[in-house]
Structure formats: structure tokens, C-alpha cells
Amino acid sequence: MKRKNLIYMIITACPVALSMVLLFCLSAFISGTSVKAATQEPVATRLYAAYNGPAVKVGEKYDKSKLSVTIYYDMGGARNLEESEYTVSTDIVEKTGQNTILVMYRDLVTNFHITGRALTGINVSPKKYDYGLGNMPDCQDLYVTGTYSDGSVETIEDGFEIFPKALTSIGQHEVTVLYEGKQAKCSVYARNWTDVVAINATFNGEEIIADCPINKNDFTVMVVYSDMLSERITTFSMSTDMFHDSGTQSLTISYGGMSKTIQVNVIERYVVGMRAEYTGGDVLVGRKLRRDNLHVYLKYVDGGEAETTEYTLHSLKIGYIGDNLITVYYGDKFSADVTIKGVEVKKPDFDYASIGYADNGKQRVRIDTAIPKYLDKDSVTIKSLTNKSVKKAYRKLKLKEGSYIAFEYGFKNPDDELELPLTVRITIPEGFDPEHTFLYYCPNRKSILGRMNKKAVDSDTFEFTLFKAGTYMLVCSDELTENVEK
């Protein structure tokens, strides 16, 4: 009872202190709750990559499925990255021996190593020694191996050339095999054959693709001679080397005076994929990429490629500094990505400029354009116009007196207009008062769209930024005034 009275006295005596204690407790409770409720996001602090595949031939792509990339976090734990989450400095093994390849994920960088191997030589031996006169061994009749810089040996199934193309005389012949700049030789024997009495031809593929050369390796042609010997023939002839129509087609195969006609299925050549590359280098942010530097290739069912201009893309403009991913579309089924680096706009460099002149018959103005160094210095064209041709535009200024010089500003290659806006320096002629001289854009030579902002370089030279090609008019009149940026 005494304790309760004591507590009551403290509460009634110190209401302010009690309020402060309660507020402190409540604040601590809320703060503690929010700390527990907030989850701290783990931060990636280290990147690790390892390639677990075999050595790769120089010039070929390595197998990315053999590459493992892992990130480690500051709070512990790790995660393997998907291929789409990181970028690599190259997809191709570029040299013999150790290749160091960078891996980048956000602001983290690491590397891994791949051994590049190069072909050092080839060896060839015949699987069959005797051939009928006029016949010739092909890739099925030869055993070809390649030796590599890492000491490995690999069987080469195809992709090599064989010379000569036929055995044209009886006796021993030297056969030469060429593969990736290396060569090897072996010997075979040509015997005299008797008359061909039977021929049979079989197509080993599923179909032939229209408008593509027929691959003779897809056929097995056997002949029987009058002495009852038989042989597979590689030097047979065909009634056509290419079909242009699809559907079931007849193909006649001939050798040694005998022929065999077989039916083959021909399908239209169709697109199975596409790829794109940009050869124009970095592009200033806000500028459009140059279409003539964008190369789009269609991949066909037969493994061939062909460049096309029949593609679409949503925007040509580069939007930000760094890698810009541009997607190119072909029809509604195929697309390909190309990465173009956007760079910030730099101060105009008039050490590399295209220089031109314009006059009105009495006075002459010099016009220097600061252009990118990948353009020729004569890429900008400036053509003088008569005062009469822009007289209607000049009248829009409603000046009582003045002088003007009109000119057409453009490019030899219309595609170079993508480089606009560009900065020009105009050196005004004698007799033009700098304070009262201005540059106007006249889109149709009959009206004035606007006056260009000018910046003084010296007493008679000004800088202007031109956003469009077309007609411009340099006008001097005491009636024109504006503050000039110094």
C-alpha cells in the first residue's frame, strides 16, 4: 500500500519527467522495430571467373557454357551469374598460348584464361589405295589428322581440299590435301577400268535447298564394271548444279556412259537467324547512328549468310553515355542486338575543319565547320545564292537598308547530315558591322524560321551552331540589335 502511494506521489509530482520518459521509451520501441523491419541489401564485393573447357583453336569462339562467373557478397554468400548478366571483353580466342579475357559485372572486373591452340601440321593416309581411271578419292577415302601447338592431335572430317580433281592416267598418283594453309601428301593408284554396266545413285540428305549449289557429298554413287568389280564414284556429273524451283525434282547422275535419274525434294531457302554489327565507332550522345555503318546479315537454313538492308529499328538516336543496346528487326520473327558506345559531346575542334566560302557578288564570307575526323575535309558543301533567290525571305525582316549574303549549307553525302548539329565559325566580310550582323535560317527561301545564337571569337569571327542543312542568310543592318555573348 505504501509502495502504491509512493508511485502515485512521483507521478503527480513530476508529470513533465514522466512524459519525457514515456516519449523516450516509445521512440526506442519505434526505432528498434524499424531496424528489425528493414532488410539490408547485400553488396557484391568480388567477382570470380573460371573456364573449365579444353584449349580452343585461334580465331574460334570459346564455349561459354564452360565459363562459370560468381559474385561474392559483403555479408557472406555467393551466386553464379547467368550469361546475360555479365559481359566479356571478347568471345574469340585471339592468339596461341594463354589468352586473358576480362569479365565485367556492374562495377566489378575480373579475368580468366583460355589456352589458344594453332594448327602446326596435317597428316594424310588413304583408306583405299586402288581407284578406277577417272575416279578420285574424296574426304570419305582419306584419313586426315591435324597436330596442334598444344601437342593435341585431332581427326579432320571435312573442310579440306584435294588435288588433283581426277586420276587421268594409269599408275601411281600423288594426292595433295590442303587444310588451313597446311598441306600433306599420300599416294594412290589408278587402274584401267572396263566398261561400266550398271550405276546406282542414292541421295543421303533429307532435302535440297533451292538456289543453293548441290553438294555432291550428299550422294552415294556406285558403279559396276564388266569385270564385276564395283566402286564408289566421286567424279560423277549431274544434270544440274542448282535447283530454282521447290517441290519434287528430277536429278540425273551420269558416269562412264551410264545414267541414273532419281527424285529429290527441294525446299525454298529460308531465314533461320540474323546478326548485326556497327563499324562506325563511337557516336555522340543525341546524334543518330549512321545507317551505312550498320551491317545486318541474314542467316539461312543452308548455313549461308547475306547482308540485307530490309530491316527496321525503333530509333537511330544514341541516348546516353556508355553502351547503347540497339535492336534490329527483320520481319516479325527475327531480331539482333548491336552495342554502340555513346560519348559526350566535346568542344568543337577547329584544327580539323571543312572550309567554304559564299558571296553576294560584292562581298565574301568564310565559313569553317568543325567536323568529326572520320569525315573528309571537303564533306561540307557551301553554295552561294543570289540575293534575288532569297529576296522574299529578306523582306520578312522589314529592314529599310542592309546587306546580306545567302548560301546553301549541305553535305556531299546526304547521310552526313546525321552529324548535325555542328559548330561553324563565320568570318564576316569587310563592311559588315559585327554588332549588327546576324545569321538567319530560311527553310524555303521565302520565310525565316529563326535567328541563330552567336558567340564572338574575335572582332570579326563568330561561332554558330547549325542544326539543319539548308538555306542561310548572313544579314548586316543597323536596325538589327542583340546582346552578343563575350
Side-chain angles (χ1 to χ4, degrees), residues 294-306:
L294 180 60
H295 303 283
V296 179
Y297 301 90
L298 300 179
K299 299 179 181 180
Y300 290 90
V301 63
D302 61 322
E305 280 191 345

Side-chain angles (χ1 to χ4, degrees), residues 424-438:
V424 300
R425 283 183 179 175
I426 294 183
T427 303
I428 62 176
E430 186 176 349
F432 272 53
D433 181 3
E435 186 178 354
H436 301 288
T437 298
F438 298 93

